[in-house]
Short mmCIF file of all heavy atoms in Angstrom, two decimals:
data_model
loop_
_atom_site.label_atom_id
_atom_site.label_comp_id
_atom_site.label_asym_id
_atom_site.label_seq_id
_atom_site.Cartn_x
_atom_site.Cartn_y
_atom_site.Cartn_z
N SER H 1112 -16.88 21.83 24.58
CA SER H 1112 -16.68 22.74 23.49
C SER H 1112 -16.75 24.31 23.86
O SER H 1112 -15.94 25.10 23.57
CB SER H 1112 -17.73 22.56 22.38
OG SER H 1112 -17.76 21.18 22.04
N LEU H 1113 -17.70 24.55 24.77
CA LEU H 1113 -17.77 25.93 25.31
C LEU H 1113 -16.56 26.24 26.06
O LEU H 1113 -15.92 27.40 25.95
CB LEU H 1113 -19.09 26.03 26.19
CG LEU H 1113 -19.25 27.45 26.76
CD1 LEU H 1113 -19.41 28.51 25.62
CD2 LEU H 1113 -20.55 27.32 27.69
N LEU H 1114 -16.03 25.41 26.96
CA LEU H 1114 -14.88 25.65 27.80
C LEU H 1114 -13.63 25.88 27.01
O LEU H 1114 -12.87 26.78 27.27
CB LEU H 1114 -14.62 24.46 28.80
CG LEU H 1114 -15.65 24.34 29.84
CD1 LEU H 1114 -15.34 23.13 30.76
CD2 LEU H 1114 -15.79 25.65 30.82
N ILE H 1115 -13.49 25.11 25.81
CA ILE H 1115 -12.33 25.29 24.85
C ILE H 1115 -12.35 26.53 24.25
O ILE H 1115 -11.27 27.25 24.21
CB ILE H 1115 -12.32 24.17 23.80
CG1 ILE H 1115 -12.13 22.82 24.44
CG2 ILE H 1115 -11.41 24.47 22.76
CD1 ILE H 1115 -12.13 21.60 23.38
N ILE H 1116 -13.57 27.04 23.91
CA ILE H 1116 -13.70 28.43 23.27
C ILE H 1116 -13.31 29.49 24.21
O ILE H 1116 -12.42 30.38 23.92
CB ILE H 1116 -15.09 28.67 22.74
CG1 ILE H 1116 -15.31 27.69 21.53
CG2 ILE H 1116 -15.31 30.13 22.26
CD1 ILE H 1116 -16.73 27.68 21.04
N VAL H 1117 -13.81 29.36 25.41
CA VAL H 1117 -13.45 30.42 26.51
C VAL H 1117 -11.94 30.37 26.86
O VAL H 1117 -11.34 31.39 27.04
CB VAL H 1117 -14.37 30.20 27.70
CG1 VAL H 1117 -14.01 31.27 28.85
CG2 VAL H 1117 -15.89 30.37 27.30
N GLN H 1118 -11.46 29.11 26.90
CA GLN H 1118 -10.00 29.04 27.18
C GLN H 1118 -9.21 29.64 26.09
O GLN H 1118 -8.20 30.24 26.48
CB GLN H 1118 -9.52 27.59 27.32
CG GLN H 1118 -8.23 27.34 27.98
CD GLN H 1118 -7.36 26.24 27.27
OE1 GLN H 1118 -7.93 25.67 26.41
NE2 GLN H 1118 -6.26 26.12 27.70
N MET H 1119 -9.57 29.44 24.79
CA MET H 1119 -8.80 30.10 23.81
C MET H 1119 -8.86 31.55 23.89
O MET H 1119 -7.82 32.22 23.69
CB MET H 1119 -9.41 29.50 22.43
CG MET H 1119 -9.02 28.18 22.01
SD MET H 1119 -9.97 27.56 20.70
CE MET H 1119 -9.25 28.57 19.46
N ILE H 1120 -10.06 32.21 24.20
CA ILE H 1120 -10.19 33.64 24.38
C ILE H 1120 -9.25 34.07 25.35
O ILE H 1120 -8.53 35.15 25.35
CB ILE H 1120 -11.58 33.99 24.55
CG1 ILE H 1120 -12.47 33.72 23.33
CG2 ILE H 1120 -11.70 35.56 24.84
CD1 ILE H 1120 -13.99 33.80 23.58
N SER H 1121 -9.35 33.50 26.68
CA SER H 1121 -8.49 33.85 27.73
C SER H 1121 -7.07 33.86 27.36
O SER H 1121 -6.27 34.53 27.90
CB SER H 1121 -8.93 33.08 29.00
OG SER H 1121 -8.53 31.76 28.86
N GLY H 1122 -6.74 32.73 26.48
CA GLY H 1122 -5.30 32.58 26.17
C GLY H 1122 -4.85 33.69 25.25
O GLY H 1122 -3.73 34.22 25.47
N VAL H 1123 -5.62 34.21 24.40
CA VAL H 1123 -5.34 35.27 23.48
C VAL H 1123 -5.18 36.62 24.31
O VAL H 1123 -4.19 37.20 24.06
CB VAL H 1123 -6.44 35.46 22.44
CG1 VAL H 1123 -6.22 36.77 21.73
CG2 VAL H 1123 -6.43 34.34 21.42
N ILE H 1124 -5.98 36.79 25.34
CA ILE H 1124 -5.81 37.92 26.21
C ILE H 1124 -4.55 37.81 26.99
O ILE H 1124 -3.86 38.93 27.04
CB ILE H 1124 -7.05 38.08 27.15
CG1 ILE H 1124 -8.34 38.40 26.28
CG2 ILE H 1124 -6.85 39.07 28.14
CD1 ILE H 1124 -9.53 38.28 26.98
N THR H 1125 -4.30 36.64 27.53
CA THR H 1125 -3.09 36.50 28.35
C THR H 1125 -1.77 36.75 27.51
O THR H 1125 -0.89 37.38 27.90
CB THR H 1125 -3.06 35.17 28.87
OG1 THR H 1125 -4.29 34.91 29.70
CG2 THR H 1125 -1.84 35.00 29.87
N ALA H 1126 -1.82 36.21 26.21
CA ALA H 1126 -0.69 36.34 25.42
C ALA H 1126 -0.44 37.78 25.07
O ALA H 1126 0.70 38.30 25.00
CB ALA H 1126 -0.77 35.48 24.15
N HIS H 1127 -1.61 38.53 24.86
CA HIS H 1127 -1.53 39.94 24.54
C HIS H 1127 -0.92 40.70 25.63
O HIS H 1127 -0.24 41.82 25.36
CB HIS H 1127 -2.88 40.46 24.06
CG HIS H 1127 -2.65 41.80 23.30
ND1 HIS H 1127 -2.24 42.08 22.08
CD2 HIS H 1127 -2.95 43.06 23.91
CE1 HIS H 1127 -2.29 43.46 21.81
NE2 HIS H 1127 -2.80 43.96 22.86
N TYR H 1128 -1.19 40.32 26.84
CA TYR H 1128 -0.56 41.12 27.99
C TYR H 1128 0.96 41.10 27.94
O TYR H 1128 1.65 41.97 28.59
CB TYR H 1128 -0.99 40.56 29.31
CG TYR H 1128 -2.39 41.05 29.76
CD1 TYR H 1128 -3.56 40.24 30.07
CD2 TYR H 1128 -2.55 42.40 29.91
CE1 TYR H 1128 -4.69 40.67 30.45
CE2 TYR H 1128 -3.77 42.89 30.38
CZ TYR H 1128 -4.78 42.08 30.73
OH TYR H 1128 -5.99 42.64 31.14
N GLY H 1129 1.47 40.15 27.34
CA GLY H 1129 2.91 40.01 27.15
C GLY H 1129 3.44 41.10 26.26
O GLY H 1129 4.68 41.45 26.15
N VAL H 1130 2.55 41.70 25.50
CA VAL H 1130 2.94 42.75 24.46
C VAL H 1130 2.51 44.13 24.99
O VAL H 1130 3.23 45.17 24.93
CB VAL H 1130 2.32 42.40 23.10
CG1 VAL H 1130 2.69 43.60 22.11
CG2 VAL H 1130 2.81 41.09 22.51
N GLU H 1131 1.24 44.19 25.52
CA GLU H 1131 0.68 45.46 25.95
C GLU H 1131 0.21 45.07 27.33
O GLU H 1131 -0.92 44.82 27.57
CB GLU H 1131 -0.40 45.82 24.96
CG GLU H 1131 -1.01 47.11 25.33
CD GLU H 1131 -2.23 47.42 24.42
OE1 GLU H 1131 -2.54 46.67 23.48
OE2 GLU H 1131 -3.02 48.52 24.71
N GLY H 1132 1.10 45.39 28.24
CA GLY H 1132 0.79 44.92 29.66
C GLY H 1132 -0.29 45.56 30.37
O GLY H 1132 -0.82 45.03 31.34
N GLY H 1133 -0.73 46.73 29.96
CA GLY H 1133 -1.76 47.43 30.55
C GLY H 1133 -3.17 47.37 29.94
O GLY H 1133 -4.06 48.01 30.44
N GLY H 1134 -3.27 46.62 28.80
CA GLY H 1134 -4.62 46.53 28.22
C GLY H 1134 -4.66 45.70 26.95
O GLY H 1134 -3.74 44.79 26.89
N PHE H 1135 -5.67 45.84 26.28
CA PHE H 1135 -5.84 45.05 25.10
C PHE H 1135 -6.30 45.81 23.91
O PHE H 1135 -7.34 46.44 23.77
CB PHE H 1135 -7.04 43.97 25.36
CG PHE H 1135 -7.26 42.92 24.37
CD1 PHE H 1135 -6.41 41.86 24.22
CD2 PHE H 1135 -8.40 43.00 23.44
CE1 PHE H 1135 -6.59 40.82 23.31
CE2 PHE H 1135 -8.54 41.99 22.52
CZ PHE H 1135 -7.60 40.99 22.39
N PHE H 1136 -5.23 46.16 23.09
CA PHE H 1136 -5.37 46.91 21.83
C PHE H 1136 -6.00 48.26 22.31
O PHE H 1136 -6.98 48.80 21.62
CB PHE H 1136 -6.34 46.33 20.79
CG PHE H 1136 -5.71 45.18 20.17
CD1 PHE H 1136 -6.11 43.80 20.55
CD2 PHE H 1136 -4.77 45.11 19.27
CE1 PHE H 1136 -5.54 42.71 19.98
CE2 PHE H 1136 -4.15 44.06 18.66
CZ PHE H 1136 -4.61 42.84 18.98
N GLY H 1137 -5.31 48.82 23.35
CA GLY H 1137 -5.74 50.20 23.79
C GLY H 1137 -6.85 50.29 24.77
O GLY H 1137 -6.98 51.31 25.44
N ILE H 1138 -7.57 49.14 24.94
CA ILE H 1138 -8.66 49.10 25.94
C ILE H 1138 -8.04 48.74 27.29
O ILE H 1138 -7.26 47.66 27.34
CB ILE H 1138 -9.71 48.02 25.52
CG1 ILE H 1138 -10.31 48.40 24.12
CG2 ILE H 1138 -10.80 47.92 26.72
CD1 ILE H 1138 -11.19 47.23 23.67
N PRO H 1139 -8.15 49.53 28.37
CA PRO H 1139 -7.57 49.23 29.69
C PRO H 1139 -8.35 47.96 30.26
O PRO H 1139 -8.97 48.19 31.43
CB PRO H 1139 -7.84 50.47 30.44
CG PRO H 1139 -9.08 51.11 29.93
CD PRO H 1139 -9.02 50.72 28.35
N LEU H 1140 -8.12 46.89 29.70
CA LEU H 1140 -8.77 45.74 30.15
C LEU H 1140 -8.43 45.22 31.56
O LEU H 1140 -9.13 44.55 32.32
CB LEU H 1140 -8.52 44.59 29.24
CG LEU H 1140 -9.44 43.22 29.38
CD1 LEU H 1140 -10.87 43.64 29.21
CD2 LEU H 1140 -9.03 42.32 28.35
N ASP H 1141 -7.15 45.51 31.94
CA ASP H 1141 -6.73 45.09 33.33
C ASP H 1141 -7.34 45.71 34.48
O ASP H 1141 -7.26 45.27 35.51
CB ASP H 1141 -5.14 45.40 33.39
CG ASP H 1141 -4.80 46.95 33.44
OD1 ASP H 1141 -5.59 47.78 32.88
OD2 ASP H 1141 -3.67 47.26 33.81
N VAL H 1142 -8.25 46.72 34.26
CA VAL H 1142 -9.00 47.34 35.27
C VAL H 1142 -10.17 46.23 35.73
O VAL H 1142 -10.31 46.22 36.88
CB VAL H 1142 -9.67 48.61 34.79
CG1 VAL H 1142 -10.68 49.05 35.82
CG2 VAL H 1142 -8.64 49.64 34.37
N VAL H 1143 -10.58 45.48 34.73
CA VAL H 1143 -11.58 44.41 35.20
C VAL H 1143 -11.17 43.03 34.98
O VAL H 1143 -11.60 42.16 35.58
CB VAL H 1143 -12.93 44.64 34.37
CG1 VAL H 1143 -13.53 45.96 34.72
CG2 VAL H 1143 -12.61 44.71 32.93
N LEU H 1144 -10.13 42.86 34.13
CA LEU H 1144 -9.60 41.53 33.87
C LEU H 1144 -8.04 41.43 33.85
O LEU H 1144 -7.41 41.45 32.81
CB LEU H 1144 -10.19 40.87 32.67
CG LEU H 1144 -10.00 39.40 32.44
CD1 LEU H 1144 -10.72 38.57 33.33
CD2 LEU H 1144 -10.31 39.07 30.95
N PRO H 1145 -7.39 41.60 34.85
CA PRO H 1145 -5.92 41.68 34.95
C PRO H 1145 -5.29 40.28 34.49
O PRO H 1145 -6.01 39.39 34.51
CB PRO H 1145 -5.55 42.01 36.35
CG PRO H 1145 -6.73 41.63 37.20
CD PRO H 1145 -7.97 41.81 36.29
N GLN H 1146 -4.08 40.48 34.05
CA GLN H 1146 -3.36 39.28 33.50
C GLN H 1146 -3.37 37.98 34.50
O GLN H 1146 -3.54 36.95 34.06
CB GLN H 1146 -1.90 39.59 33.29
CG GLN H 1146 -1.16 38.60 32.57
CD GLN H 1146 -0.36 37.59 33.62
OE1 GLN H 1146 -0.03 36.52 33.17
NE2 GLN H 1146 -0.13 38.07 34.84
N ALA H 1147 -3.38 38.34 35.77
CA ALA H 1147 -3.41 37.26 36.84
C ALA H 1147 -4.72 36.44 36.76
O ALA H 1147 -4.66 35.23 36.72
CB ALA H 1147 -3.32 37.87 38.25
N ILE H 1148 -5.79 37.07 36.37
CA ILE H 1148 -7.12 36.46 36.25
C ILE H 1148 -7.16 35.64 34.97
O ILE H 1148 -7.57 34.52 34.76
CB ILE H 1148 -8.20 37.28 36.37
CG1 ILE H 1148 -8.28 37.97 37.85
CG2 ILE H 1148 -9.60 36.65 36.09
CD1 ILE H 1148 -9.22 39.00 38.07
N SER H 1149 -6.83 36.36 33.86
CA SER H 1149 -6.85 35.66 32.39
C SER H 1149 -5.99 34.49 32.46
O SER H 1149 -6.38 33.48 31.79
CB SER H 1149 -6.60 36.67 31.37
OG SER H 1149 -5.19 37.02 31.39
N ARG H 1150 -4.77 34.61 33.09
CA ARG H 1150 -4.00 33.46 32.94
C ARG H 1150 -4.44 32.30 33.84
O ARG H 1150 -4.33 31.15 33.47
CB ARG H 1150 -2.50 33.92 33.49
CG ARG H 1150 -1.43 32.76 33.16
CD ARG H 1150 -0.03 33.35 33.61
NE ARG H 1150 0.91 32.36 33.19
CZ ARG H 1150 1.25 31.25 33.66
NH1 ARG H 1150 0.72 30.86 34.77
NH2 ARG H 1150 2.18 30.44 33.14
#
């Protein structure tokens, strides 16, 4: 159950990188969690 939840979160982040390649709703998330890692 825990892994499914974390997988869903990482999937949302990865999908958002297809829209905003440098971050997550303005937050420069790729500095600590780039698309390569979230995917």
